[in-house]
Each structure stands twice: as structure tokens, then as C-alpha cells.
Amino acid sequence: MPTFFDPAHALLIDDFDTFIRYIGSKLNLPLTAGGDLKAADLWVINERVNYKAPDYVTNRSRQIDYPLLGFLFQVATAGRLFLVQVEKGNVLVANADRLDTYRNLTLEEKYVFLLETGWCYADWSAIDGDGRSGQGANWFQGGIRQLLQNPVGTEATLFTRGWVMDDDPRMIYVSATSNVYIRAGLWFGWYAIREVVLPKRNKYELDIDRVTLAEWGKQCLTTLLRERPFRYWNKQARNYAYFTDEGNEELRVDINTFADAFRTLLGEPDLLSLYPINPNPPTGVFWLLAELPEALRTIAIPASMTLDGLHELIQQAFGFGNDHLYGFYMNPRNPHNGEQYYDPRLTDGWADGYPAAETSLASLNLYEGQQLLYIFDFGDQWVFRLTVVRHLPDERTTKASVVKKVGKAPKQYGDDE
């Protein structure tokens, strides 16, 4: 099958290379308290990329005001080219080996890396600030399906209000919070867009009103929906609500075979993929610092143990009674966005995320300096901040232990209780 994609004209690749050159030139680049790039850095990078932010940005604008830069930051961090570490505040650190591997990829391989990371692993709600609702993600679910009903070159009109004829694929109803999701198609070369100029950022106003499908978009999007359909499209898909039943199919997607279809589509049988991130899960022991305002406990736990085992050890370390539900959250900034792991006493369908009892620490690809949250008792909300302080890959033990205690653990229940 002939392809209609010329990576030499993919401005997204050029912009991402510009982006990582800048952040890679800064040793331990300081981030905001929320874990974003600072305004001064965003302003400089925006001047260097092809897909610039809307005209309303200033040198004090936040990352959320820069659609492309927010997306590239997600790709760089979700793809583990750069790591967000806690070091007297948030800093961004290059993951040197993986970054060097990316730089040596062909243009086709870089494109597939950007596509796979964005489609499967990026946290879109962190890009557009849409919280848990994920309404904008309906563009990937419904809008794209409708767009693909059009011949290549057809201009489709986007609506956010009013009633639209369902049988006319040239009229597509979308959520007003779809801006970043729709823009991504421009960056990946799926279609052209017509922009609407807004005086300031407003996530409840659409800043694109027309899209025109390209030949590459027809091929690429058709492949994406076949190989990684919406129910499975993104690792955080459960947080992007409103997906449809899709026929109750029993499809199971192997997340590590994404690139296979693009080897065929791009005519590159030897195309290298950077996924899975770690084909050889880490061994040894992790040291995790568990923090409450009143007390700290450093816990040594084998990489092979599950999150449910970590939960039990934290309970023991703080003298709690293990009598309420819990969850682990990989996004400490917004716990209910991003990956979540739930108490085995809950059942699939009644909880967000993945079962903690079936998830080993090794499978999480943890790194030193990473933070996550453990929340126990959803009524009283005991929020423990966990930091990966050490990884000892060669240590061999099957037992977990508490290696350091600082401060007196608070009582789980007050005296009145």
C-alpha cells in the first residue's frame, strides 16, 4: 500500500527536537510547584517552534496556555526521555540513555514514537486542564469516526452548540473543550484546520471551526482506530469518560505491539520502537519514603512485591488498622488523573484504574526521585506522599522492612473515636 507521509515535512518532529534541545541544555531544570515548565522557559521555547501558541500568550502565561508545549512536555515525560524529580522542589532531569536512543532514531521512528506516546501514554487532561471529565477526548472517540466518513479533501464544520444532522459527516458536533485534541491532528499531519481567533484562552470556547481531512490522516487514523480503538486508546482511558460500548467486543490490545502496524504502513520493516519503556523489569529493592505531616517512614520493598503488599507494609509502619479502602495514584498533582491502582476489596467496574493486588512495583517502571500518592480511608483521607529515594537493583531479598523512622505516627482515630 502506498503511503502519503513524508517525515521530512513533519514539523512536529522538528518542534519536538527543538523542545528537547532546550530543556536538555538546562541542568536540573526547575519546574513550577505543580510540575510544569516555568513561564520564562515557555516563552523562549514558543519563539523557536513552528506551531506557536495563540497570540494571547504573554511572558507570564502558564503551560496550559501553550497547547503544543504542553503536549511536548507530556511526550517528553510520559515517554521517559526526561524525568520529573523531587529535589528541593520539582526539577526536570534528562534520562540520558533513553534520550540518546531517541536522537539516533530515523525520522519515521521519531514520528511513531511521538504518535505512540501521545496516543497511548500522554495525560491529555494535564494538557488541556479539563480535570476528570475528559469531554474533549470525545474528539478521538466520535469526532474522528465522523471525519473519516468524508472523502479526503472535504472540509468539515465543527459545532459546539445547537442541533446537527447526524447523517451529514461534514457537520461534526464536538465538545468546546476539544481544542488540544483537535490541534493534535494538525501536528500529526492528519488534516488542515481553520482557526478562530480568541482574545484570551477559554477552554469553553472552540478555537478551531473547520478541518479538512488529508490522505495521510485517512490512513493513519483508520489504522489507529483498528489497532488501538478508543476503549484502549490511552493508558489513562478510564479517566476520559463517555466512551461507547463499541459492540461489546472482547478485543484485548497488546500495548507493546503498537508500532507493528506502522512498520507496514510506512514500509519500514526494521522500524525501531522505544516501547516497552523497560523490556526487562527492574529487580532488587526499592526504598520508598512514606510521608505524613507528623511522621516519616522509609520502607525497603522488593521490586517483585505488589502494591497491595506495599499498602500492608505502610499500614504496619504507621500502626494503622487496615480497616478501610485505599488507592495508589501515580499523578501526585491531580490524583484522580493519570494511572490509579485500587484496593482488591473493590471490583473492576466499581473503581478507577487497575487492581493493586495484580500490580508489582517492577511493572511501574519507578525511578529515583519519583513521587506518587497512597490514600487510605476515603472518608478521613489519610494522604501519604511516597518518594522513590533509592533503587538497589542487585539486592536480593523477598522480605520488606521499615529501615528508618522519623517522628511519632499519628493516631488513626482520635481519642473521641
Side-chain angles (χ1 to χ4, degrees), residues 121-132:
Y121 302 104
D123 181 359
W124 288 83
S125 64
I127 303 171
D128 70 0
D130 193 26
R132 292 192 73 191

PDB file of all heavy atoms in Angstrom, residues 121-132:
ATOM      1  N   TYR A 121      -0.019   7.164  25.993  1.00  0.00           N
ATOM      2  CA  TYR A 121       0.513   7.380  27.332  1.00  0.00           C
ATOM      3  C   TYR A 121       0.386   8.804  27.859  1.00  0.00           C
ATOM      4  O   TYR A 121       0.476   9.006  29.071  1.00  0.00           O
ATOM      5  CB  TYR A 121       1.991   6.960  27.379  1.00  0.00           C
ATOM      6  CG  TYR A 121       2.196   5.524  26.991  1.00  0.00           C
ATOM      7  CD1 TYR A 121       2.706   5.180  25.742  1.00  0.00           C
ATOM      8  CD2 TYR A 121       1.823   4.492  27.855  1.00  0.00           C
ATOM      9  CE1 TYR A 121       2.864   3.852  25.373  1.00  0.00           C
ATOM     10  CE2 TYR A 121       1.971   3.164  27.494  1.00  0.00           C
ATOM     11  CZ  TYR A 121       2.490   2.854  26.247  1.00  0.00           C
ATOM     12  OH  TYR A 121       2.624   1.547  25.877  1.00  0.00           O
ATOM     13  N   ALA A 122       0.221   9.793  26.997  1.00  0.00           N
ATOM     14  CA  ALA A 122       0.117  11.182  27.467  1.00  0.00           C
ATOM     15  C   ALA A 122      -1.143  11.367  28.307  1.00  0.00           C
ATOM     16  O   ALA A 122      -2.180  10.767  28.040  1.00  0.00           O
ATOM     17  CB  ALA A 122       0.099  12.133  26.277  1.00  0.00           C
ATOM     18  N   ASP A 123      -1.041  12.210  29.307  1.00  0.00           N
ATOM     19  CA  ASP A 123      -2.195  12.565  30.137  1.00  0.00           C
ATOM     20  C   ASP A 123      -2.798  13.838  29.546  1.00  0.00           C
ATOM     21  O   ASP A 123      -2.363  14.948  29.832  1.00  0.00           O
ATOM     22  CB  ASP A 123      -1.752  12.785  31.586  1.00  0.00           C
ATOM     23  CG  ASP A 123      -2.923  13.136  32.504  1.00  0.00           C
ATOM     24  OD1 ASP A 123      -4.064  13.224  32.008  1.00  0.00           O
ATOM     25  OD2 ASP A 123      -2.692  13.325  33.702  1.00  0.00           O
ATOM     26  N   TRP A 124      -3.808  13.663  28.714  1.00  0.00           N
ATOM     27  CA  TRP A 124      -4.381  14.792  27.989  1.00  0.00           C
ATOM     28  C   TRP A 124      -5.059  15.787  28.921  1.00  0.00           C
ATOM     29  O   TRP A 124      -5.101  16.982  28.620  1.00  0.00           O
ATOM     30  CB  TRP A 124      -5.362  14.277  26.931  1.00  0.00           C
ATOM     31  CG  TRP A 124      -4.648  13.614  25.800  1.00  0.00           C
ATOM     32  CD1 TRP A 124      -4.201  12.326  25.747  1.00  0.00           C
ATOM     33  CD2 TRP A 124      -4.250  14.223  24.572  1.00  0.00           C
ATOM     34  NE1 TRP A 124      -3.552  12.089  24.554  1.00  0.00           N
ATOM     35  CE2 TRP A 124      -3.571  13.236  23.817  1.00  0.00           C
ATOM     36  CE3 TRP A 124      -4.405  15.499  24.040  1.00  0.00           C
ATOM     37  CZ2 TRP A 124      -3.052  13.495  22.556  1.00  0.00           C
ATOM     38  CZ3 TRP A 124      -3.894  15.758  22.777  1.00  0.00           C
ATOM     39  CH2 TRP A 124      -3.220  14.762  22.043  1.00  0.00           C
ATOM     40  N   SER A 125      -5.600  15.319  30.021  1.00  0.00           N
ATOM     41  CA  SER A 125      -6.268  16.250  30.927  1.00  0.00           C
ATOM     42  C   SER A 125      -5.276  17.219  31.559  1.00  0.00           C
ATOM     43  O   SER A 125      -5.639  18.318  31.967  1.00  0.00           O
ATOM     44  CB  SER A 125      -7.031  15.496  32.015  1.00  0.00           C
ATOM     45  OG  SER A 125      -6.150  14.757  32.832  1.00  0.00           O
ATOM     46  N   ALA A 126      -3.997  16.830  31.650  1.00  0.00           N
ATOM     47  CA  ALA A 126      -2.974  17.745  32.141  1.00  0.00           C
ATOM     48  C   ALA A 126      -2.609  18.778  31.080  1.00  0.00           C
ATOM     49  O   ALA A 126      -2.120  19.859  31.406  1.00  0.00           O
ATOM     50  CB  ALA A 126      -1.723  16.970  32.553  1.00  0.00           C
ATOM     51  N   ILE A 127      -2.850  18.447  29.810  1.00  0.00           N
ATOM     52  CA  ILE A 127      -2.539  19.379  28.731  1.00  0.00           C
ATOM     53  C   ILE A 127      -3.614  20.444  28.612  1.00  0.00           C
ATOM     54  O   ILE A 127      -3.340  21.627  28.454  1.00  0.00           O
ATOM     55  CB  ILE A 127      -2.397  18.631  27.387  1.00  0.00           C
ATOM     56  CG1 ILE A 127      -1.322  17.535  27.484  1.00  0.00           C
ATOM     57  CG2 ILE A 127      -2.029  19.614  26.271  1.00  0.00           C
ATOM     58  CD1 ILE A 127      -1.277  16.627  26.270  1.00  0.00           C
ATOM     59  N   ASP A 128      -4.881  20.026  28.688  1.00  0.00           N
ATOM     60  CA  ASP A 128      -5.964  20.978  28.448  1.00  0.00           C
ATOM     61  C   ASP A 128      -6.648  21.464  29.717  1.00  0.00           C
ATOM     62  O   ASP A 128      -7.539  22.309  29.664  1.00  0.00           O
ATOM     63  CB  ASP A 128      -6.999  20.395  27.495  1.00  0.00           C
ATOM     64  CG  ASP A 128      -7.823  19.265  28.105  1.00  0.00           C
ATOM     65  OD1 ASP A 128      -7.598  18.919  29.282  1.00  0.00           O
ATOM     66  OD2 ASP A 128      -8.687  18.726  27.400  1.00  0.00           O
ATOM     67  N   GLY A 129      -6.258  20.917  30.881  1.00  0.00           N
ATOM     68  CA  GLY A 129      -6.832  21.370  32.138  1.00  0.00           C
ATOM     69  C   GLY A 129      -8.285  21.012  32.318  1.00  0.00           C
ATOM     70  O   GLY A 129      -9.006  21.664  33.077  1.00  0.00           O
ATOM     71  N   ASP A 130      -8.718  19.936  31.680  1.00  0.00           N
ATOM     72  CA  ASP A 130     -10.130  19.577  31.699  1.00  0.00           C
ATOM     73  C   ASP A 130     -10.499  18.702  32.893  1.00  0.00           C
ATOM     74  O   ASP A 130     -11.592  18.169  32.960  1.00  0.00           O
ATOM     75  CB  ASP A 130     -10.499  18.853  30.392  1.00  0.00           C
ATOM     76  CG  ASP A 130     -11.998  18.741  30.199  1.00  0.00           C
ATOM     77  OD1 ASP A 130     -12.722  19.580  30.746  1.00  0.00           O
ATOM     78  OD2 ASP A 130     -12.433  17.806  29.512  1.00  0.00           O
ATOM     79  N   GLY A 131      -9.583  18.522  33.830  1.00  0.00           N
ATOM     80  CA  GLY A 131      -9.899  17.717  35.007  1.00  0.00           C
ATOM     81  C   GLY A 131     -10.259  16.296  34.648  1.00  0.00           C
ATOM     82  O   GLY A 131      -9.737  15.714  33.712  1.00  0.00           O
ATOM     83  N   ARG A 132     -11.205  15.718  35.375  1.00  0.00           N
ATOM     84  CA  ARG A 132     -11.548  14.314  35.169  1.00  0.00           C
ATOM     85  C   ARG A 132     -12.591  14.110  34.084  1.00  0.00           C
ATOM     86  O   ARG A 132     -12.828  12.993  33.665  1.00  0.00           O
ATOM     87  CB  ARG A 132     -12.087  13.709  36.467  1.00  0.00           C
ATOM     88  CG  ARG A 132     -11.065  13.588  37.556  1.00  0.00           C
ATOM     89  CD  ARG A 132     -11.584  12.732  38.681  1.00  0.00           C
ATOM     90  NE  ARG A 132     -11.632  11.336  38.336  1.00  0.00           N
ATOM     91  CZ  ARG A 132     -12.246  10.402  39.058  1.00  0.00           C
ATOM     92  NH1 ARG A 132     -12.876  10.740  40.145  1.00  0.00           N
ATOM     93  NH2 ARG A 132     -12.227   9.146  38.687  1.00  0.00           N
TER      94      ARG A 132
END
